[in-house]
Amino acid sequence: FFQKTLTAVKNWFTLFGWSKGQNPISIPYSLRRDVCKVQKTSSQEKVFKQDLGKDTKTVYDMLLHLSGQLVPGVTANQSLPLDPVERMLQLHYQHSSLLAFLKSRGAYLPHVMPEFLLEPDDYKKWIKVQTALKVGHVKSSDIFSDNHLFILEDSVFETMSKRAWTDVLLQVYKVFVLAHVSSRKISDPSSLESMQNMPSMKSEPLSSNIYSSYERTILTWLNKHYEKKRKTVWKDCKKGEVPPMRWIVNFHQDLLDSLVLAAVLAAYCPYLIATHFVRMYTKPRTPEQFLHNSLILVNAMHAVSLAIDVEV
């Protein structure tokens, strides 16, 4: 489940998280690595050189695109100190600012510490500095805002870091993307007329112990487009007649025949109807017919460059 969640997060932010088209990311590797535009160095310290270039996109560019704001304390063209320890401290400060910024917007990240977002080598430096401070009887609170110290083995840290970055992105999606999804009632008269015989879904938060209000909004959206498009998409169907009216109430059984998702895609890309969707079975009964519909839907997604992994 976690791997599927990570893959979905990676795909969404690769496709939609940036201001100028797609930008492939890897979690946590590219997010940890691409933390600033240019990391300056001298010829004597080439080991710390990493010229990322002006076109490198950082997590701060992503947040600027999605929220319209810069993270306080982090400039658009951030550079890091030459000294490895100072560099690590600067990164820890930036990650602390990032988490504080997200929390101020409603993100829930009490389990994510700034050091979990560091590179493995920088995390070891962080532990070494913190341990030295404690041994030297110097209060770490004099320098850092967080007194918690988690000493993790390499493999455990990588797992923790991957989970931390995934949760950060999920919370970014929650506060800057999902929060803008409208839960307004359908007001289109033609839509209301076509759906008047269908039961409506309650939007109250406690009306379902299975789906959240946002998920029920998506189900309403699926119902709207299926009912509105089923007679249009399959009026000239070659493998059956117009599919019957139905109520979509879940995300597994009701989507198995691919007709609902095809109707939604046709609502935004009607040119796919003649080239793809008219060849679908409107009343599939056998596994082969279900597979046939699924393959057509996947091919339609590829045709519009909707590069989202779909299992058939």
Side-chain angles (χ1 to χ4, degrees):
F1 171 80
F2 175 68
Q3 186 59 46
K4 288 183 178 180
T5 301
L6 186 147
T7 300
V9 170
K10 181 184 70 175
N11 288 343
W12 192 93
F13 279 92
T14 291
L15 292 170
F16 309 115
W18 313 91
S19 59
K20 296 181 180 179
Q22 301 181 17
N23 180 49
I25 66 170
S26 58
I27 304 173
Y29 309 108
S30 68
L31 298 173
R32 294 188 312 203
R33 182 186 66 240
D34 300 340
V35 289
C36 64
K37 296 292 186 184
V38 178
Q39 293 175 272
K40 299 178 181 179
T41 186
S42 63
S43 58
Q44 290 80 16
E45 295 176 329
K46 293 181 179 179
V47 67
F48 300 116
K49 184 176 182 179
Q50 186 179 3
D51 187 357
L52 299 179
K54 295 182 179 179
D55 295 330
T56 299
K57 297 179 180 179
T58 72
V59 66
Y60 305 108
D61 294 317
M62 178 190 72
L63 287 173
L64 177 61
H65 170 61
L66 295 176
S67 70
Q69 296 178 295
L70 288 170
V71 174
V74 181
T75 62
N77 295 299
Q78 190 78 39
S79 60
L80 298 176
L82 298 179
D83 181 78
V85 175
E86 291 182 3
R87 174 182 179 276
M88 176 273 295
L89 296 178
Q90 173 65 28
L91 286 173
H92 190 275
Y93 167 77
Q94 290 181 197
H95 293 327
S96 298
S97 301
L98 168 65
L99 293 174
F101 173 70
L102 294 178
K103 291 176 182 178
S104 70
R105 298 303 186 276
Y108 185 73
L109 294 165
H111 59 295
V112 177
M113 303 298 169
E115 52 267 30
F116 296 160
L117 306 179
L118 295 170
E119 290 271 21
D121 288 343
D122 287 331
Y123 171 73
K124 292 177 181 178
K125 293 185 182 73
W126 166 259
I127 293 299
K128 185 176 181 180
V129 168
Q130 287 285 70
T131 303
L133 288 172
K134 292 181 180 298
V135 171
H137 302 291
V138 177
K139 292 183 178 179
S140 59
S141 57
D142 292 340
I143 302 177
F144 309 109
S145 61
D146 198 331
N147 289 317
H148 297 291
L149 181 61
F150 296 93
I151 302 177
L152 306 176
E153 297 179 357
D154 292 350
S155 60
V156 177
F157 172 77
E158 282 294 348
T159 300
M160 182 67 76
S161 183
K162 182 180 294 186
R163 181 59 184 266
W165 275 109
T166 301
D167 288 347
V168 165
L169 292 182
L170 283 170
Q171 292 298 308
V172 167
Y173 183 83
K174 183 187 78 172
V175 299
F176 295 128
V177 180
L178 198 58
H180 296 294
V181 175
S182 174
S183 58
R184 293 175 298 175
K185 301 292 184 181
I186 299 173
S187 56
D188 183 3
S190 62
S191 298
L192 289 173
E193 182 179 355
S194 64
M195 298 181 68
Q196 61 183 353
N197 295 324
M198 297 183 64
S200 61
M201 292 189 179
K202 296 181 179 180
S203 59
E204 290 80 8
L206 300 179
S207 62
S208 173
N209 63 346
I210 299 176
Y211 295 128
S212 68
S213 59
Y214 294 116
E215 290 170 319
R216 293 196 299 281
T217 297
I218 295 174
L219 288 173
T220 299
W221 176 68
L222 293 173
N223 276 286
K224 170 189 172 182
H225 285 301
Y226 175 75
E227 181 55 32
K228 190 175 181 179
K229 288 294 180 180
R230 63 184 179 89
K231 296 180 181 179
T232 303
V233 175
W234 292 287
K235 64 179 181 179
D236 300 319
C237 184
K238 301 175 182 179
K239 295 185 180 292
E241 55 191 25
V242 173
M245 176 187 290
R246 57 172 153 153
W247 193 31
I248 298 97
V249 296
N250 57 63
F251 294 103
H252 47 281
Q253 189 68 33
D254 292 339
L255 303 183
L256 280 178
D257 59 13
S258 301
L259 295 175
V260 176
L261 295 177
V264 172
L265 192 54
Y268 296 93
C269 306
Y271 51 85
L272 293 173
I273 296 174
T275 59
H276 292 76
F277 300 142
V278 294
R279 297 184 285 112
M280 299 178 75
Y281 289 98
T282 56
K283 294 181 180 180
R285 292 180 175 84
T286 67
E288 291 77 14
Q289 291 175 344
F290 278 91
L291 177 61
H292 173 87
N293 283 3
S294 298
L295 291 174
I296 288 179
L297 178 63
V298 171
N299 288 336
M301 290 182 173
H302 290 167
V304 295
S305 300
L306 192 59
I308 298 177
D309 292 337
V310 179
E311 295 183 4
V312 178

